[in-house]
Amino acid sequence: MTVLRSGSASDVGRVRSINEDLALEGLTLFAVADGMGGHAGGEVAARVAIDTLQAEFGRNPSSDGLVEAVRKANLAVWERGRDDAEVRGMGTTVTAAALVATDHGDRLVLANVGDSRAYRMRAGRLDQLTHDHSVAEELVSRGELSEAEAAIHPHRHILTRALGVGPDVDIDAWEVHPHEGDRYLLCSDGLSNEVSPDRIAGVLD
């Protein structure tokens, strides 16, 4: 039986007056959403996504259930933006991790849309498990930019996928076999853009 211990923290930072990041910390479901949109749109998008994700996964706490929960979260954000002119055009990233029982033992299921990230610290090594859905990362994948160039590229914040942009969304999802002593970090780009991987590893180790 796999047991997870968790903690979460968020900070509005020095630039914005509204914190558009929102974390979900449950017994077996964990997520971070980073909202975007004018006025309170980002905050609303993140809240709608997290609330829908939690409710839908609770109905089907499985690998497929997590993917479907993210799909329903996307639709909920899109419908809210469509129906409410004050938050029209809002969206959010989401990175989620769920501990599920399978025929092969407990697995950690990950799902990702956008540029929020999941990292794993194992045996002193930090690995980024997710792939950013951003213009800069797409250029890196095609060999047109290096990782160092992508970190300062003027389009690094432009997303190629996010929840709420349309009624359907492509979702990255896969299973990880958790090992004793693993540490997993879910974070928005508010952390990954400002803190180096070496420093993140030093805190997690």
Side-chain angles (χ1 to χ4, degrees), residues 115-198:
D115 64 353
S116 292
R117 293 179 178 179
Y119 292 92
R120 178 183 62 199
M121 188 74 176
R122 176 180 288 175
R125 174 177 170 173
L126 181 70
D127 290 309
Q128 181 180 330
L129 301 179
T130 51
H131 175 82
D132 292 352
H133 303 134
S134 67
V135 170
E137 191 61 31
E138 295 292 337
L139 293 173
V140 171
S141 297
R142 296 202 299 262
E144 297 177 27
L145 281 182
S146 67
E147 292 285 354
E149 289 170 332
I152 58 173
H153 194 275
H155 295 158
R156 67 187 180 278
H157 300 303
I158 298 178
L159 300 181
T160 55
R161 285 192 226 170
L163 299 190
V165 175
D168 300 305
V169 68
D170 290 331
I171 303 163
D172 289 352
W174 62 102
E175 293 184 1
V176 174
H177 186 185
H179 293 180
E180 183 177 359
D182 280 357
R183 297 187 178 186
Y184 294 89
L185 171 67
L186 308 182
C187 67
S188 73
D189 66 347
L191 177 71
S192 58
N193 280 347
E194 303 299 328
V195 181
S196 70
D198 286 345

Side-chain angles (χ1 to χ4, degrees), residues 29 53 57 60 62-70 96-98 109-111:
L29 177 63
L53 178 72
F57 181 74
N60 182 9
S62 65
S63 297
D64 290 342
L66 180 63
V67 175
E68 184 60 22
V70 174
V109 184
L110 298 172

Side-chain angles (χ1 to χ4, degrees), residues 23-34:
L24 168 61
E25 188 181 354
L27 293 176
T28 59
L29 177 63
F30 311 87
V32 62
D34 182 7

